[in-house]
């Protein structure tokens, strides 16, 4: 989800600079809210479910047939994934003499960055960001693009608070903070008891006027259960810490995020969703590292909280098992360090 969200600013810039261009975006229809406001962009849904979907070689051939029937005007293919499905699909188009271009993910650089260092002196250097890598594919295809704007304030949006929340956003006073404590892989997840401690410190902070209100984000039944349990534990009143997991559509979640003063997240899609609407993020990093190029667009490096360790980063995506066996990069990160970075923004 985060990877898809990061393509939106690039597509928006391409569309703005080339008003004659029509873009057919192959992605899941579920992600359509990421691309609100981009002119002349059509989403062709990819269905990786069972049955008459697009899974497997037969499904990919079916998808190619759909694209040719529904979008015969396609003149070139820009592959922002470079995985087996997209490689095969662009090969189908190349056989029909269409120009194709694909992303350079810097796999060798990332492998070097995350390699285990026996000397304990890992060299950590900033790699090209994923967003600029996406833009590079369009540049290779002949589109003239400047560096994608990293001014976070330029992406700020006015959006309505979802009606189902039962709250209105007043100006001044109360601070709204989103907390997204979940991620896809263990190497990215800050222990929930430490997230709980950060939440407790935030709710306890005295404000001259108003108060702090927390919104817990996530997805799926288990994350919903955990978020609702955490909300009860840190706020017995049920008013100042609220789980919104499973309550809203993706578009409504983005609407709510746009009304936040700050998002607190892992290295996860929540960081990128907040970036799309210009909301600052304090992000927590464990096995992964912002230098691999996945920091949210416009987010400050100083707001990416993590421990400096000889073994970090050990993974690009956080899916590898900790070779130390203790996930010290996350377990040893004090909640006070995270809280201090949040307080730097709000208090």
């Amino acid at each position: 989800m985060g990877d898809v969200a990061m393509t939106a600013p690039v597509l928006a810039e391409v569309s703005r600079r080339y008003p004659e261009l029509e873009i057919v975006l192959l992605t899941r229809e579920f992600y359509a809210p990421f691309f609100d406001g981009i002119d002349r962009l059509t989403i062709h849904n990819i269905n990786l479910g069972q049955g008459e979907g697009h899974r497997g070689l037969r499904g990919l051939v079916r998808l190619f047939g759909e694209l040719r029937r529904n979008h015969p005007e396609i003149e070139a293919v820009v592959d922002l994934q470079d995985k087996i499905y997209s490689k095969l699909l662009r090969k189908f188009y190349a056989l029909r003499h269409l120009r194709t271009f694909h992303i350079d993910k810097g796999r060798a650089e990332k492998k070097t960055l995350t390699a285990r260092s026996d000397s304990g002196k890992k060299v950590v250097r900033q790699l090209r960001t994923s967003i600029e890598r996406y833009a590079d594919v369009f540049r290779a295809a002949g589109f003239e693009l400047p560096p994608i704007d990293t001014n976070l304030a330029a992406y700020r949006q006015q959006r309505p608070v979802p009606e189902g929340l039962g709250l209105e956003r007043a100006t001044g006073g109360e601070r709204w903070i989103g907390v997204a404590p979940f991620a896809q892989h263990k190497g990215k997840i800050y222990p929930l008891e430490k997230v709980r401690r950060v939440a407790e410190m935030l709710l306890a902070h005295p404000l001259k006027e108003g108060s702090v209100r927390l919104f817990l984000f996530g997805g799926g039944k288990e994350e919903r259960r955990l978020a609702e349990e955490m909300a009860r534990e840190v706020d017995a009143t049920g008013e100042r810490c609220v789980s919104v997991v499973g309550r809203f559509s993706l578009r409504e979640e983005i609407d709510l995020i746009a009304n936040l003063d700050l998002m607190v997240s892992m290295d996860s899609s929540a960081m990128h969703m907040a970036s799309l609407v210009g909301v600052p993020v304090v992000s927590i990093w464990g096995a992964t590292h912002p230098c691999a190029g996945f920091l949210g667009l416009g987010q400050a490096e100083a707001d990416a909280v993590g421990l400096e360790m000889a073994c970090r980063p050990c993974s690009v995506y956080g899916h590898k098992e900790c070779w130390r066996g203790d996930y010290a990069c996350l377990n040893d990160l004090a909640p006070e360090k995270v809280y201090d970075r949040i307080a730097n923004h709000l208090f």
Side-chain angles (χ1 to χ4, degrees), residues 105-262:
K105 288 191 168 182
R107 289 186 172 98
E109 295 174 283
K110 291 173 181 175
K111 184 176 180 179
T112 299
L113 179 69
T114 57
R116 182 172 173 175
S117 174
D118 293 330
S119 68
K121 296 181 179 179
K122 180 189 285 284
V123 177
V124 178
R125 66 181 184 88
Q126 181 62 53
L127 304 185
R128 194 157 181 78
T129 68
S130 291
I131 289 173
E132 283 300 325
R133 290 185 189 275
Y134 292 148
D136 285 342
V137 191
F138 285 94
R139 293 176 183 125
F143 296 91
E144 295 183 5
L145 296 179
I148 302 302
D149 192 355
T150 57
N151 176 16
L152 188 64
Y155 297 96
R156 192 77 195 199
Q157 298 179 14
Q158 294 293 324
R159 287 181 174 238
V161 175
E163 290 185 5
L165 190 65
L167 297 170
E168 293 185 2
R169 187 65 166 108
T171 56
E174 189 170 75
R175 311 292 178 87
W176 283 18
I177 305 174
V179 180
F182 308 107
Q184 186 175 3
H185 301 296
K186 184 176 180 179
K188 291 183 175 184
I189 302 174
Y190 195 43
L192 287 182
E193 64 271 17
K194 295 181 181 291
V195 176
R196 188 180 301 114
R197 177 59 186 147
V198 173
E200 289 170 347
M201 287 189 285
L202 287 171
L203 292 179
H205 190 99
L207 295 180
K208 291 182 179 179
E209 56 179 278
S211 59
V212 170
R213 191 183 296 270
L214 304 180
F215 299 94
L216 305 182
F217 290 83
K221 291 182 179 179
E222 181 61 11
E223 290 184 8
R224 181 172 185 171
R225 182 188 69 79
L226 292 170
E228 290 175 351
E229 181 180 287
M230 183 184 298
R232 290 191 299 268
E233 289 176 350
V234 301
D235 175 34
T237 70
E239 296 179 355
R240 296 180 59 206
C241 184
V242 180
S243 169
V244 296
V245 182
R247 292 179 55 183
F248 301 112
S249 67
L250 180 60
R251 182 170 282 107
E252 288 172 321
E253 279 201 5
I254 297 174
D255 288 345
L256 176 55
I257 291 171
N259 283 278
L260 300 177
D261 294 291
L262 184 75

Side-chain angles (χ1 to χ4, degrees), residues 240-317:
R240 296 180 59 206
C241 184
V242 180
S243 169
V244 296
V245 182
R247 292 179 55 183
F248 301 112
S249 67
L250 180 60
R251 182 170 282 107
E252 288 172 321
E253 279 201 5
I254 297 174
D255 288 345
L256 176 55
I257 291 171
N259 283 278
L260 300 177
D261 294 291
L262 184 75
M263 172 65 82
V264 181
S265 80
M266 310 299 107
D267 168 18
S268 66
S269 59
M271 171 177 61
H272 299 294
M273 290 166 64
S275 300
L276 286 181
V277 290
V279 172
V281 179
V282 170
S283 51
I284 301 171
W285 299 71
T288 61
H289 197 288
C291 65
F294 296 101
L295 185 64
L297 179 64
Q299 301 299 335
E301 290 183 18
D303 288 334
V305 183
L307 294 178
E308 294 300 322
M309 300 179 65
C311 56
R312 285 191 65 229
C314 64
S315 176
V316 175
Y317 304 111

Side-chain angles (χ1 to χ4, degrees), residues 33-105:
F34 294 156
F35 306 96
D36 286 351
I38 301 180
D39 296 330
R40 304 172 310 283
L41 183 146
T42 301
I43 290 180
H44 188 100
N45 183 55
I46 183 168
N47 174 16
L48 296 179
Q50 301 296 331
E52 295 297 307
H54 304 133
R55 183 182 292 276
L57 181 59
R58 182 175 297 179
L60 192 61
V61 171
R62 184 181 299 115
L63 174 61
F64 181 55
E66 290 176 11
L67 289 168
R68 290 192 62 217
R69 287 192 303 273
N70 297 340
H71 309 287
E73 71 282 4
I74 288 177
E75 300 175 34
V77 175
V78 172
D79 178 4
L80 302 181
Q81 240 189 347
D82 194 35
K83 292 186 177 179
I84 184 65
Y85 264 59
S86 60
K87 286 179 179 181
L88 287 172
L89 191 60
R90 74 175 190 252
K91 176 65 72 174
F92 292 167
Y93 273 108
L95 290 173
R96 294 190 170 271
H97 308 293
L98 267 69
R99 297 178 304 148
T100 68
F101 307 87
H102 66 276
I103 190 171
D104 174 6
K105 288 191 168 182

